[in-house]
Amino acid sequence: QKGEPLRVMISGAPASGKGTQCELITKKCVLLSCFVTLQYNLVHIAAGDLLRAEVAAGTENGKRAKEFMEMGKLVPNEIVVMMVKERLSQQDSQENGWLLDGYPRSESQATALKKFGFVPDIFILLEVPEEILVERVVGRRLDPVTGKIYHLTYSPPETEEIAARLTQRFDDTEEKVKLRLLTHNSNVESVLSLYEDQIVKVDGTLPKEEVFSQIDSVLTELLAKKGAAFGSL
Ligand code: AP5
């Protein structure tokens, strides 16, 4: 019997490693036997990815959102709040649990979520000092085929073929990440104060596998407490 699903928020400054850790959490697979595989099965919902999908689709919301993203500012609530609420309300998120990445980023977004009844079991905060973040952003590359996140130095592509197709995000410049950091710094405390009881701080400067191992232990412990079982394939 499957227990109550996990509800996880992951937060941190731009390039602190949120997307990288979400990829590891959602891909986690433990082979128990030839027939049974265990995994968290959480639905990864990244506010930035939802917005970039709107931008790519050329919708009115996407066009408007891009103006704010270019400036490193928060996209207005009238675009983002319902977009995230709708994704959280879908059946897969409700049944499997969710992993909310980069949301909420302001007190008003957190308050709206609470009003809609979305409360996390845990709020993971990745801590990385600012001097490391700029280097991470400038070296970040994305694989448009698999969606995997790379870094030219810390997580280079595995083959020449992948290297040749990597792309860069339009807001991944030193100038723009500094603007994103300013926005982050002016909002972070008010968001953290609303999740005081659920916060778990993780040192995000460690290699990504070590960061994941800390998150993995916390999530496994939490699942055990909730009496939930891993999803099995
Ligand atoms: P968003 O897409 O969420 O960007 P962000 O918060 O700036 O975070 P990033 O995606 O840049 O970084 P990340 O923490 O996921 O790091 P990653 O794992 O890729 O938001 C973009 C914009 O959308 C915002 O500016 C805003 O305009 C808008 N927006 C988003 N959410 C919104 C909201 N709630 N409300 C309103 N507007 C919103 O890692 C970065 C690099 O470092 C990679 O190259 C990776 O390989 C490397 N790396 C990762 N971990 C490690 C490690 N442990 N060691 C070494 N390198 C590592």
Side-chain angles (χ1 to χ4, degrees):
Q1 167 149 359
K2 213 173 163 190
E4 204 192 324
L6 270 187
R7 294 162 303 211
V8 181
M9 285 181 181
I10 185 158
S11 160
S16 54
K18 303 181 289 295
T20 300
Q21 293 305 317
C22 289
E23 201 174 283
L24 294 170
I25 294 167
T26 49
K27 285 197 180 133
K28 178 192 159 107
C29 247
V30 181
L31 192 63
L32 280 190
S33 74
C34 293
F35 303 106
V36 186
T37 312
L38 297 184
Q39 53 188 188
Y40 286 119
N41 259 344
L42 300 176
V43 176
H44 177 209
I45 304 173
D49 289 347
L50 293 177
L51 288 167
R52 277 183 290 277
E54 290 287 323
V55 173
T59 63
E60 278 312 308
N61 274 348
K63 284 181 196 150
R64 195 144 168 254
K66 191 170 184 196
E67 289 170 27
F68 290 86
M69 294 166 87
E70 292 269 14
M71 293 185 288
K73 291 189 175 166
L74 292 184
V75 171
N77 280 352
E78 66 258 31
I79 296 178
V80 88
V81 168
M82 293 316 283
M83 194 179 75
V84 173
K85 180 197 177 232
E86 273 160 28
R87 188 63 193 90
L88 280 167
S89 308
Q90 284 173 19
Q91 198 179 354
D92 57 347
S93 315
Q94 290 300 302
E95 285 178 0
N96 299 342
W98 40 261
L99 174 60
L100 192 51
D101 164 2
Y103 195 92
R105 285 194 205 216
S106 64
E107 194 178 342
S108 57
Q109 291 178 1
T111 313
L113 264 190
K114 201 170 174 190
K115 200 180 84 193
F116 297 138
F118 296 108
V119 178
D121 299 305
I122 186 170
F123 185 104
I124 299 167
L125 178 66
L126 295 176
E127 295 188 300
V128 180
E130 292 198 6
E131 57 273 19
I132 296 180
L133 298 171
V134 173
E135 194 199 352
R136 283 197 185 175
V137 159
V138 176
R140 171 166 48 194
R141 297 291 183 277
L142 303 168
D143 183 346
V145 176
T146 60
K148 191 169 170 192
I149 305 165
Y150 290 95
H151 189 282
L152 295 178
T153 312
Y154 306 120
S155 193
E158 298 87 354
T159 64
E160 282 297 317
E161 190 191 346
I162 298 173
R165 67 182 186 223
L166 294 182
T167 59
Q168 213 175 353
R169 255 168 59 175
F170 64 82
D171 56 350
D172 269 356
T173 62
E174 183 169 347
E175 180 206 4
K176 284 184 180 144
V177 74
K178 286 185 174 162
L179 296 172
R180 273 149 64 200
L181 261 170
L182 285 177
T183 304
H184 170 78
N185 291 341
S186 59
N187 287 296
V188 63
E189 288 306 327
S190 63
V191 174
L192 295 185
S193 68
L194 293 169
Y195 296 105
E196 260 170 4
D197 298 337
Q198 291 106 317
I199 292 179
V200 171
K201 293 182 180 174
V202 176
D203 179 358
T205 62
L206 299 170
K208 65 178 183 182
E209 296 78 9
E210 287 178 38
V211 177
F212 175 63
S213 139
Q214 290 190 22
I215 293 177
D216 194 23
S217 342
V218 179
L219 293 183
T220 307
E221 197 181 314
L222 187 61
L223 266 177
K225 269 194 205 146
K226 284 184 72 143
F230 281 109
S232 63
L233 289 177

